Every structure is written in structure tokens, then in C-alpha cells.
Amino acid sequence: MKLVIVASLVAGASAFAPAAQQSSSVSTTALNAEEVGSWRIPTAKGAYADELGAQAPLGFFDPFGMTSGQDKEKFEHLRWVELKHGRIAMLAVVGYLVTYAGIRFPGAEDIPAGFAALDAIPGQVAAQMGFTFFLMEAANSPTPGTYNDFKPEFMGDFRNGALDFGWDKQTDEWKTKKRAIELNNGRAAQMGILGLMVHEKLGNLSEILPGQS
């Protein structure tokens, strides 16, 4: 159990590592390695080895070959799916920890945390949630971020001409760094929420999180 916890901490910490730019050679699929600062990063040379997300400590990581032979459109779709799942997972981790700590909206004080909440949520609330998810999916399909005639820089750019926060004033290098941070944090969150759910089912969540709601 301690080994699992240590491994989870290592995976989470690696998500905050700075993004590393790979070399431009993409003619082979052999695994190599290059030194980037204190990291020794494996680099699989493929068509997308230089894309955002190929960063320390794993470099270009595609063990199942999902990008092999895929065109740019398919790759961008896969990247969007990863980004979307990462964003959902980050919200899930925050929501899980907040409810586990006993914080509730008014009127929801009796709803427990974790999986037990699924059976305790009123049917009307569940229906509202489902309808909201449906509207969000419909509004951002088939090209996420195109609402209100806004042209996104990438799939998942939901500024919609309103929520800019100075993004357009920044350099391309700064934007790439911030996108890499979000992508890596999302990867860590996907592992994090999975770990929380597994340990809840194992019944030893209290060994990881202090207290019990």
C-alpha cells in the first residue's frame, strides 16, 4: 500500500514538471533518450513527437500507438479528448476533496461524500445535471469553442471573445507553457480521482485523507 501511495505522489509531482521541447526529427519510431536539465527523457520519434504534451518526464508517450498513422485532424481530436477529460478530472478531484471535508451547498447538508452521494442526490437534481451536461455538449459540438462566432486558437479554447484575461497579449512561448501545465495537471488529476475512487472502494481512504465526512 505504501508503494502505491509513493508511486501516486511521484506521478502527481511529475505533472508539475516544466514542458520540454523535443527535437524536430520524426523519421523513425525508435525509442531514444535526451537530456533536458536533470531529466533523461525517452523520445519516441513519430509524426507528433514535437506536439504539445511530449514533455518531461515521459517525452512522447503513446504505448498503444493510437497516433500511429493518424492524420492531424484525428490527432487534434485525441488531444481534445485528453484535455477535456483532464479538466473534468481536475473539477472532480476538487469536488471530491471539498465534499469529503464536509462542505455543502445549503440544502445538501445530508448528502454524503463519495459514491454514497449517487444514491442520495434527489431525482430532480440528477435530471438538472444531466440536462446541463447535454446542453454543454451540444453547444460545443462538433468544433469546441466556436460559439458566438469566436475562432478558437485550439480545440478547448472557450474564451468565446469574452473571457480573455490577457491571453492575446502573451507570447506564443508563454501560451504553450500554460497549455502544457493545464494538460499535465489534467493528467495528474485523472490519476488522482481514479486513486480516490479506488481507495474509497477498498475502504482505506482514511489512510490517505485526514478525517471522515
Side-chain angles (χ1 to χ4, degrees):
M1 183 58 63
K2 292 183 178 179
L3 180 60
V4 173
I5 296 174
V6 171
S8 300
L9 291 174
V10 172
S14 67
F16 298 92
Q21 299 299 321
Q22 307 294 330
S23 63
S24 59
S25 174
V26 293
S27 59
T28 177
T29 57
L31 274 175
N32 300 295
E34 68 177 74
E35 298 288 345
V36 178
S38 60
W39 296 102
R40 182 170 177 80
I41 304 175
T43 55
K45 302 301 182 181
Y48 303 108
D50 293 332
E51 292 290 337
L52 179 72
Q55 55 202 51
L58 296 177
F60 181 72
F61 187 71
D62 184 16
F64 298 108
M66 296 184 65
T67 62
S68 179
Q70 302 292 350
D71 57 21
K72 184 69 172 179
E73 182 179 359
K74 179 62 175 179
F75 175 81
E76 292 295 340
H77 173 73
L78 293 174
R79 169 48 42 81
W80 159 237
V81 171
E82 180 186 21
L83 178 61
K84 178 180 179 181
H85 287 179
R87 289 173 174 176
I88 293 173
M90 287 188 279
L91 290 172
V93 169
V94 173
Y96 196 105
L97 296 179
V98 167
T99 54
Y100 187 89
I103 300 174
R104 299 290 189 277
F105 285 114
E109 292 85 355
D110 296 331
I111 297 179
F115 284 106
L118 297 177
D119 295 328
I121 295 177
Q124 291 182 342
V125 175
Q128 291 174 4
M129 291 173 57
F131 185 66
T132 301
F133 296 156
F134 172 78
L135 289 180
M136 293 172 67
E137 289 290 332
N140 293 292
S141 297
T143 306
T146 56
Y147 178 75
N148 198 26
D149 295 326
F150 173 73
K151 294 181 179 180
E153 292 185 12
F154 54 91
M155 293 185 72
D157 180 6
F158 292 119
R159 290 175 294 148
N160 293 323
L163 302 175
D164 184 77
F165 298 111
W167 178 268
D168 287 332
K169 299 178 182 179
Q170 302 296 335
T171 64
D172 291 340
E173 181 180 2
W174 184 91
K175 293 178 180 179
T176 300
K177 179 180 179 181
K178 292 300 183 181
R179 289 181 61 194
I181 291 173
E182 180 188 23
L183 188 63
N184 244 10
N185 286 353
R187 291 169 174 173
Q190 290 176 74
M191 299 301 296
I193 190 62
L194 177 61
L196 289 171
M197 292 189 297
V198 168
H199 282 287
E200 180 181 344
K201 284 300 183 180
L202 291 174
N204 61 356
L205 194 60
S206 59
E207 297 181 15
I208 301 175
L209 301 178
Q212 178 69 46
S213 61

